[in-house]
Amino acid sequence: LVIHNYIVTGFPPADGFVQPYVENPLDTGHYPAEGIYRQILGSAKDYVYIVTPYLILDNTMIASVTSAAKAGVDVRIITPKIRDKWYVHPVTQFNYQELLEAGVRIFEYTPGFIHSKMMVSDDNYCVVGSINLDYRSLYLHFECATFLYHCKEITAVKEDILDCIEQSEEITYEHCLQMNKPYRLWLSILRLYAPLL
C-alpha cells in the first residue's frame, strides 16, 4: 500500500487478495461469516477442509456442508477429541451421523484441545479467524476473521490442516451406531439448547 499525504495512491505487487472482516450482532440482517462459509462450500470443486472446536450447525449450514459432499467435494472436518466444555462436545457429536451419511469425513484431534478456526478450499480460498461453526459465533458474538484468495499462505494453512488430520482419529458411521441409546437420547436433548451453547 502506497500512502501519500494520507491518501492511498497505489498498491504494491501481490500474489492474491486478503480481506479482514468482522461479525457484528448489532448489524442485524448481515451475517458475513455465514455468507463466506456458505460461498466457499457452494463454489468448491475439489476439497474443503474445516477446523473448528465447536461444530453446532443449524439447518442452513448442515445443508451447505452436506450439499458440497454429495456433489463429490472432499469435505473434511476436524474437531477436538479432548473437550473443554462437557456440554458442547456432545452437541458437536450429534451432527456427526448426518454429515457422515452425506459423505463428509470427520476427524477428532487427539493430542489435545484444538481451538483453531480455519477453512481452506481448492488451494484458492481460505478463512482464518475467531469464528466457530456454531450459532453463537455466526449470529450472536462479535467476531473477526480474514479471508484469503489466491495467496501463497493458503498452502501453509492446508499443510497445517493435513498435519492435524495425521494426528487425528477418523470417526466412522459405525462409531455413531455404537453409541448407546441413553447417550443418543442425551445428545438429542442437548441439541435443543444448541443456540444457547
Side-chain angles (χ1 to χ4, degrees), residues 71-154:
V73 177
D74 178 13
V75 181
R76 305 183 195 186
I77 301 175
I78 304 175
T79 65
K81 177 77 170 180
I82 299 173
R83 59 193 180 196
D84 67 335
K85 299 175 182 174
W86 67 268
Y87 52 87
V88 173
H89 191 64
V91 181
T92 290
Q93 291 181 317
F94 180 86
N95 291 298
Y96 287 176
Q97 185 169 338
E98 184 173 0
L99 296 173
L100 289 165
E101 286 173 346
V104 177
R105 295 180 68 188
I106 297 173
F107 300 84
E108 288 188 345
Y109 184 73
T110 56
F113 181 70
I114 189 168
H115 206 253
S116 302
K117 296 93 170 173
M118 301 183 287
M119 180 182 286
V120 63
S121 174
D122 294 350
D123 296 346
N124 279 323
Y125 308 98
C126 178
V127 172
V128 178
S130 69
I131 305 170
N132 299 300
L133 275 175
D134 66 7
Y135 185 88
R136 295 177 68 88
S137 268
L138 294 174
Y139 305 111
L140 301 180
H141 286 176
F142 290 93
E143 304 279 7
C144 62
T146 301
F147 172 76
L148 296 87
Y149 169 71
H150 202 63
C151 300
K152 62 180 181 296
E153 288 79 10
I154 294 174

Side-chain angles (χ1 to χ4, degrees), residues 57-59 62 91 94-95 187-195:
L57 305 174
D58 62 12
N59 291 336
I62 286 178
V91 181
F94 180 86
N95 291 298
L187 297 187
S188 300
I189 293 170
L190 280 178
R191 183 67 176 85
L192 298 174
Y193 297 92

